[in-house]
């Protein structure tokens, strides 16, 4: 491959000499960094952001103490660059060097970035590690995901609220503050806690040290979510695994009027209650599992009152002992339906996996623990933005797409940007997402905008 001399132009406006390859003399390679983008699909997410007024909320919530040249970009602009870059898969501020001249990012950020550049590495670094780490700003950032969800639910009301709480693991490397070995995950890590609703939105998240119990700080995460929904006249439900089998959680949920189904660790007393179900069924085992259900009242020593416990016993062909599970609940529905309702919490594990794969929210590589707290909240906002588009905007034909698929097919649309005197034209590649599908997405966003005007 031979390279000819080319003129250096940071904005890429002048004609550049190309590169040639030897296998085909008719090929010529040209590079136009500020006129070509690989993330044109972000414009659809930015349209959704504008329709719901999401990132603009930062203007009234975050305190800006910057002065002089540090204020070239507004707090809203910096917030947009932080969220949308993560949504596109750029999890580090180091990526700001390239993104600052990327046409899509410049138009997504808006303001002075449209005509010049978006924020640089140093500007993004100060924003995320100095501005957002201030206690007041960090508290506002933590609650911002809930405010975003409220904006969407104003346009798409819910008939019921189901909260799923679960912890996860974010592996760490080196001497990071708060990093510790966790025997359950068998690694050195952080141990974040998440609360999802039934649509997959993260209602609240908290970064915790690596060696804490799975249920630690549950009240600090759950109470703000419960408080936001007080007064909403819909049924409330809560699900969690055995790590959250805690009488304090039961008392809290009962006082707030929540129906709950929480897995209960087995013990000798519970096993005695279902002793008849532990006898192997008579006859030749069927290929399908033989399933039995039971329910009874049970009161542990640490409980103030007796509560309903539902048991499920499964006999599988070729297994000597049955599979037994217990669920403590205050739901009045039949035992089989309680088990089915509890099993649906498995979707929360899928959402955690999507957060890891689609927006890389396990990438918490800063040394200071508070910096990583900020990073997690920014990842959560990026995840919620992506999930909003999937659940509220995507046509039914592609609603099954995962967030990773959306990033690869929708966000990663290549485009050439042609500037005229009063407008810029994105000439978008029509490969995975054709024009009609992109138009359907924009039309769905416009319907959300009209719903905004109707409710406003």
């Amino acid at each position: 491959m031979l390279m000819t001399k080319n003129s250096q132009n940071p904005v890429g406006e002048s004609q550049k000499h190309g590169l040639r390859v030897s296998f085909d003399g008719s090929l010529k390679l040209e590079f136009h960094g500020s006129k070509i983008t690989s993330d044109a699909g972000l414009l659809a997410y930015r349209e959704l952001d504008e329709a719901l007024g999401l990132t603009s909320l930062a203007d009234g919530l975050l305190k800006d103490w910057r002065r002089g040249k540090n204020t070239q970009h507004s707090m809203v602009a910096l917030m947009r660059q932080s969220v949308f870059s993560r949504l596109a898969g750029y999890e580090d501020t180091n990526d700001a060097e390239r993104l600052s001249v990327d046409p899509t990012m410049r138009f997504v950020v808006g303001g002075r970035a449209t005509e010049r550049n978006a924020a640089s590495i140093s500007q993004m670094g100060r924003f995320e590690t100095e501005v957002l780490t201030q206690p007041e700003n960090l508290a506002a950032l933590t609650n911002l995901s809930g405010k975003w969800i409220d904006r969407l639910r104003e346009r798409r009301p819910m008939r019921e609220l189901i909260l799923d709480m679960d912890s996860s693991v974010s592996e760490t490397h080196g001497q990071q503050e708060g990093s510790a070995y966790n025997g359950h995950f068998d690694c050195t890590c952080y141990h974040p806690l998440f609360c999802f609703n039934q649509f997959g939105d993260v209602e609240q998240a908290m970064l915790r040290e690596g060696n804490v119990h799975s249920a630690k700080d549950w009240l600090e995460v759950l109470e703000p979510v419960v408080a936001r929904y007080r007064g909403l006249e819909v049924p409330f439900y809560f699900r969690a695994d055995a790590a959250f089998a805690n009488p304090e959680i039961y008392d809290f949920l009962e006082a707030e009027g929540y129906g709950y189904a929480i897995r209960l660790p087995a013990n000798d007393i519970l096993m005695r209650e279902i002793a008849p179900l532990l006898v192997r069924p008579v006859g030749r085992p069927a290929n399908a599992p033989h399933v039995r259900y039971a329910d009874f009242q049970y009161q542990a020593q640490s409980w103030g009152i007796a509560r309903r416990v539902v048991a499920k016993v499964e006999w599988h062909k070729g297994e000597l002992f049955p599979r037994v599970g217990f669920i403590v609940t205050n739901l009045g529905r039949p035992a089989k339906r309680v088990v089915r309702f509890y099993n649906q919490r498995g979707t929360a594990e899928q959402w955690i996996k999507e957060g890891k794969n689609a927006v890389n929210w396990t990438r918490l590589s800063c040394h200071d623990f508070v910096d990583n707290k900020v990073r997690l909240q920014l990842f959560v906002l990026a995840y919620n933005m992506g999930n909003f588009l999937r659940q509220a905007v995507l046509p039914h034909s592609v609603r099954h797409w995962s967030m990773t698929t959306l990033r690869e097919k929708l966000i990663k649309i290549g485009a050439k940007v042609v500037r005229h005197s009063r407008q810029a034209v994105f000439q978008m590649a029509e490969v995975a997402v054709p024009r009609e599908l992109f138009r359907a997405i924009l039309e769905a966003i416009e319907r959300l905008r009209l719903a905004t005007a109707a409710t406003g």
Side-chain angles (χ1 to χ4, degrees):
M1 184 178 290
L2 302 176
M3 183 174 67
T4 60
K5 280 189 175 182
N6 61 345
S7 58
Q8 298 297 321
N9 190 319
V11 296
E13 296 298 335
S14 67
Q15 182 66 32
K16 293 184 178 181
H17 297 288
L19 305 180
R20 297 288 186 176
V21 292
S22 59
F23 72 87
D24 191 335
S26 65
L27 286 180
K28 178 181 176 182
L29 312 181
E30 293 186 354
F31 295 81
H32 304 276
S34 62
K35 296 196 294 185
I36 302 294
T37 178
S38 61
D39 302 311
L42 280 179
L43 298 174
Y45 292 86
R46 178 65 180 89
E47 184 72 0
L48 176 64
D49 171 29
E50 186 70 16
L52 298 178
L54 301 179
T55 54
S56 60
L57 286 172
D59 189 35
L61 295 176
L62 301 179
K63 303 301 181 183
D64 187 3
W65 47 263
R66 300 171 302 155
R67 296 292 183 271
K69 293 183 179 181
N70 290 334
T71 61
Q72 295 180 36
H73 298 279
S74 68
M75 297 289 278
V76 173
L78 294 171
M79 175 63 72
R80 285 175 184 156
Q81 189 165 339
S82 289
V83 171
F84 282 95
S85 61
R86 285 173 167 82
L87 186 58
Y90 307 108
E91 67 269 10
D92 286 323
T93 56
N94 293 335
D95 297 307
E97 181 176 2
R98 185 183 73 79
L99 294 176
S100 64
V101 298
D102 182 85
T104 299
M105 186 57 65
R106 288 161 56 195
F107 277 94
V108 162
V109 169
R112 74 184 299 276
T114 304
E115 298 299 329
R116 299 184 182 180
N117 291 343
S120 64
I121 293 177
S122 59
Q123 290 169 328
M124 292 304 301
R126 285 193 297 269
F127 174 67
E128 294 188 8
T129 63
E130 296 179 13
V131 177
L132 293 183
T133 54
Q134 298 299 311
E136 189 175 357
N137 283 342
L138 179 55
L141 182 67
T142 302
N143 293 325
L144 193 57
S145 57
K147 294 183 181 298
W148 281 21
I149 293 170
D150 291 342
R151 284 290 178 94
L152 178 61
R153 291 301 143 209
E154 289 172 2
R155 286 79 180 173
R156 296 175 64 90
M158 62 177 68
R159 297 182 179 179
E160 62 180 4
L161 173 66
I162 304 175
L163 299 178
D164 291 303
M165 183 167 281
D166 204 354
S167 63
S168 182
V169 56
S170 295
E171 291 193 43
T172 56
H173 308 278
Q175 302 299 318
Q176 294 178 253
E177 287 184 354
S179 175
Y181 180 78
N182 188 300
H184 177 74
F185 298 111
D186 192 24
C187 66
T188 302
C189 62
Y190 292 130
H191 195 183
L193 182 62
F194 297 93
C195 181
F196 295 89
N197 61 31
Q198 71 267 33
F199 306 104
D201 307 321
V202 179
E203 294 277 355
Q204 193 87 349
M206 173 184 285
L207 186 65
R208 305 174 302 175
E209 292 80 4
N211 57 358
V212 301
H213 186 270
S214 295
K216 186 180 185 298
D217 300 315
W218 66 267
L219 183 61
E220 190 172 347
V221 172
L222 183 59
E223 200 281 331
V225 181
V226 171
R228 274 187 28 246
Y229 288 107
R230 286 194 189 114
L232 187 64
E233 296 182 357
V234 298
F236 298 131
Y237 301 101
F238 178 87
R239 297 180 296 218
D241 63 20
F244 299 87
N246 184 324
E248 295 180 357
I249 297 180
Y250 310 151
D251 293 337
F252 175 81
L253 295 171
E254 289 163 357
E256 294 290 344
Y258 276 68
Y260 59 84
I262 301 174
R263 192 172 183 87
L264 193 63
N267 59 44
D268 292 341
I269 298 176
L270 294 174
M271 298 298 283
R272 285 199 297 267
E273 289 284 349
I274 60 169
L277 303 184
L278 301 180
V279 178
R280 180 179 292 277
V282 178
R284 178 177 296 179
N287 289 327
H290 184 83
V291 184
R292 298 175 179 178
Y293 299 91
D295 66 311
F296 51 88
Q297 293 294 309
Y298 169 74
Q299 182 176 357
Q301 291 184 352
S302 59
W303 299 4
I305 59 173
R307 293 181 171 91
R308 183 189 183 202
V309 172
V310 170
K312 179 184 179 183
V313 179
E314 294 183 40
W315 288 92
H316 289 255
K317 183 178 180 179
E319 296 184 5
L320 184 60
F321 299 103
R323 304 179 187 180
V324 181
F326 297 97
I327 299 171
V328 58
T329 182
N330 61 349
L331 299 175
R333 59 189 71 178
K336 184 176 181 179
R337 289 182 56 198
V338 171
V339 173
R340 185 184 305 159
F341 172 75
Y342 171 79
N343 287 341
Q344 291 171 352
R345 70 164 294 277
T347 55
E349 298 176 0
Q350 178 62 32
W351 294 325
I352 289 176
K353 186 181 298 184
E354 283 206 324
K356 292 179 177 180
N357 295 334
V359 297
N360 299 322
W361 68 23
T362 57
R363 186 65 180 264
L364 305 174
S365 54
C366 294
H367 173 269
D368 294 350
F369 189 63
V370 67
D371 293 349
N372 287 319
K373 280 187 171 183
V374 167
R375 287 176 63 86
L376 178 61
Q377 298 304 327
L378 292 171
F379 280 123
V380 165
L381 291 174
Y383 167 88
N384 278 349
M385 179 83 74
N387 196 52
F388 288 175
L389 186 133
R390 178 174 58 178
Q391 61 167 297
V393 171
L394 282 188
H396 288 285
S397 60
V398 294
R399 192 161 292 178
H400 64 281
W401 283 4
S402 68
M403 288 183 60
T404 302
T405 302
L406 282 171
R407 186 186 67 194
E408 295 173 351
K409 292 186 175 182
L410 177 59
I411 293 178
K412 296 299 179 180
I413 295 178
K416 178 182 178 181
V417 183
V418 179
R419 282 185 174 271
H420 301 294
S421 59
R422 295 186 178 180
Q423 64 180 358
V425 179
F426 278 68
Q427 298 177 346
M428 305 175 74
E430 191 173 9
V431 183
V433 178
R435 180 181 185 274
E436 289 305 313
L437 176 55
F438 205 95
R439 185 171 81 172
I441 291 173
L442 294 180
E443 289 175 348
I445 295 173
E446 182 61 23
R447 288 192 290 272
L448 278 180
R449 191 192 307 276
L450 294 175
T452 302
T455 59

